[in-house]
Amino acid sequence: MKTSIATVSLSGDLKDKLRAIAKAGFAGVEIFENDFLAFDESPREVGRMVRDFGLEISLFQPFRDFEGMPEPLRARTFDRAERKFDLMQELGTDLVLVCSNVSPAAVGGIDRAAADFRELGERAAKRHLRVGYEALAWGRHISDHRDAWEIVRRADHPNVGLILDSFHTLSRKIEINSIRSIPKEKIFIVQLADAPLIDMDLLYWSRHFRNMPGEGDLPVTDFTRAVAATGYDGYLSLEIFNDQFRGGNANAIAVDGYRSLIYLGDQVKRAEPDIRLPVPMMPPRVDVKGVAFVEFSASDEDAGELEALLVSIGFKKAAQHRTKQVVVYRQGAINLVVNTEREGFASASYLVHGTSAYAFGLLVDDAAATVERARALGAEPFEQPVGPGELLVPAIHGVGGGLIYFLDEKSELSRIWEIEFDPVRDEGSVVPAGLSAIDHIAQTVKYEEMLTWLLFYTSLLEAHKTPMVDIIDPAGIVRSQVVENDAGTLRLTLNGAENRNTLAGRFITETFGSGVQHLAFTTEDIFATAQALRKNGFNALPISPNYYDDVEARFGLDAELVERLKSENILYDRDDGGEYFQLYSPTFGEGFFFEIVERRGYGGYGAANAIFRIAALRKHLRPDGLPKSWSSSR
Ligand code: MG
Ligand code: MG
């Protein structure tokens, strides 16, 4: 599979873009004329620079408003084309993109357009150049790749071919199987872009909201399957117009782009096993069976506070690492690891981010294969030296400088708690709270990183993303999106903070980056849990009494239930599947908190309650903006 990306997709000057593109692993680059014009070097120098980065120019674009022009405009467009051809030869590329004419002066007619292309093909052939024709979704006469193909077919010239662009085809819902019958040698290049489903003007949608395949809602995989069915084996080239990407970090966007193409190729290959598509071999997407553990890094002092909080929610100290300052707290199937080592990654993470849930472990079928797939998708594996008798736990770098570990049941990893730890008999008088598993891990990320992490998780793990919802914080909007699997054994919520004054935004500022902001535990009986927590001295986050009047009216709940909810500070929600109950801890450290949930068939995450939870958490902020520590708020 030949990978390429258009310079227009990235920020920076031409050299910055090329460097990022080469570093991410692409083979080709589409040079946008404006990127070239804004750059000070000559076309020959630019061509050399591209080749010095180990790249090939896959395409030069755009050439606009060509076909169907009446004289004298027609003669002028051919003169313009000759000058572009001069430039292309100096750059060292042979393919130009001609997009369908949008000029009011253009005259329609398939045969007239075909004749123009035949003549252009003749002129291009003299210089060993090729011309590709693309139907813009908003073209004046041609806005459908089937019509563009008919023009190319009638032009009947070896140097004239078709350019397919997933956005133009999919945004107009054109039947994609029409692609399967196009001869592969007549498809000169294939451009790919996804986009979120938004009902708006096609041109505006295309120029501002395109994103990487897999990041949006368009069936780009089906489109690519149709392309692959022709036997096409040329470039798959990303052409992404996106305001956020053009303002973002070129290296990060290029890595996302490369990951999106590799992931796309992998999906196409699995869906069409008969097609010979040269995609890197990798294990399939990984089925997550559960969250095996969450690990906190902390100083000795902070660890005491954290451990007191854990005990109050019913956790018992269960194991102590044989050689390290690492303790395991356990309840049901939940393992919380508190790491106060002064060396290694956890310690480094503590120094940067303060006390935080810097790592989590996922239980999968094959931990080594998981890291192999992650590596193929461009993720960075993590390893640090292990002591004698310790296991090397496969891991990768995740959100915000955190780590994701993988455990499985087929290897020694299944016995990590016995191999590396000594059991501890907790003699305390903790009342168990009936918490059985981790329901979800909530990560707060910078808004502009959200697409990155959605693609990161969904390309690696057997999971899907839900539509984005807006959560109202008194200080702004937080965008929330979920990555989850059908079994409910993997639930990650991503909250994107656009504004540093929101509670989520403040968390990012205080902790110097994205990370886990809350952990939600499952209970089968929230009222019994609340009772046990009270006995342990836990004070739930107090919720405004006004909330309960509202919830009673909104759902028509009986007064007795509302009274119980109110007395325990439990939040309530309902969807088509059933009911949801939520209970929160106050914040700890730099804004971290715990949540306890009971699901009675409910599938969501209580988004409607977030505003009340945020208001309650805000009351716990000190005047300087930092959260009061848990102990001082008791
Ligand atoms: Mg295009
Ligand atoms: Mg939650």
mmCIF file of all heavy atoms in Angstrom, residues 134 165 168 191 239, ligand 1:
data_model
loop_
_atom_site.group_PDB
_atom_site.id
_atom_site.type_symbol
_atom_site.label_atom_id
_atom_site.label_comp_id
_atom_site.label_asym_id
_atom_site.label_seq_id
_atom_site.Cartn_x
_atom_site.Cartn_y
_atom_site.Cartn_z
ATOM 1 N N GLU A 134 -10.936 15.045 -11.379
ATOM 2 C CA GLU A 134 -11.692 14.791 -10.154
ATOM 3 C C GLU A 134 -13.013 15.549 -10.189
ATOM 4 O O GLU A 134 -13.038 16.747 -10.490
ATOM 5 C CB GLU A 134 -10.880 15.277 -8.938
ATOM 6 C CG GLU A 134 -11.633 15.193 -7.620
ATOM 7 C CD GLU A 134 -10.946 15.951 -6.490
ATOM 8 O OE1 GLU A 134 -10.728 17.180 -6.609
ATOM 9 O OE2 GLU A 134 -10.603 15.303 -5.477
ATOM 10 N N ASP A 165 -12.039 10.732 -4.965
ATOM 11 C CA ASP A 165 -11.865 11.364 -3.662
ATOM 12 C C ASP A 165 -13.061 10.939 -2.808
ATOM 13 O O ASP A 165 -14.205 11.210 -3.153
ATOM 14 C CB ASP A 165 -11.814 12.892 -3.835
ATOM 15 C CG ASP A 165 -11.629 13.645 -2.520
ATOM 16 O OD1 ASP A 165 -12.280 13.270 -1.525
ATOM 17 O OD2 ASP A 165 -10.849 14.622 -2.499
ATOM 18 N N HIS A 168 -15.798 13.571 -1.919
ATOM 19 C CA HIS A 168 -16.729 14.029 -2.963
ATOM 20 C C HIS A 168 -17.778 12.972 -3.285
ATOM 21 O O HIS A 168 -18.918 13.287 -3.589
ATOM 22 C CB HIS A 168 -15.955 14.428 -4.219
ATOM 23 C CG HIS A 168 -15.086 15.630 -4.009
ATOM 24 N ND1 HIS A 168 -15.580 16.838 -3.598
ATOM 25 C CD2 HIS A 168 -13.744 15.790 -4.116
ATOM 26 C CE1 HIS A 168 -14.590 17.709 -3.466
ATOM 27 N NE2 HIS A 168 -13.459 17.090 -3.769
ATOM 28 N N GLN A 191 -7.793 9.771 -3.430
ATOM 29 C CA GLN A 191 -7.660 10.644 -2.266
ATOM 30 C C GLN A 191 -8.685 10.231 -1.209
ATOM 31 O O GLN A 191 -9.820 9.885 -1.540
ATOM 32 C CB GLN A 191 -7.903 12.096 -2.666
ATOM 33 C CG GLN A 191 -6.878 12.595 -3.673
ATOM 34 C CD GLN A 191 -7.144 14.035 -4.046
ATOM 35 O OE1 GLN A 191 -8.258 14.402 -4.367
ATOM 36 N NE2 GLN A 191 -6.099 14.859 -3.980
ATOM 37 N N GLU A 239 -6.190 13.787 1.822
ATOM 38 C CA GLU A 239 -6.350 15.203 1.464
ATOM 39 C C GLU A 239 -7.352 15.781 2.458
ATOM 40 O O GLU A 239 -8.557 15.681 2.297
ATOM 41 C CB GLU A 239 -6.880 15.341 0.033
ATOM 42 C CG GLU A 239 -6.878 16.786 -0.428
ATOM 43 C CD GLU A 239 -7.782 17.009 -1.628
ATOM 44 O OE1 GLU A 239 -8.777 16.281 -1.803
ATOM 45 O OE2 GLU A 239 -7.507 17.949 -2.395
HETATM 46 MG MG MG B 1 -9.638 15.892 -3.742
#
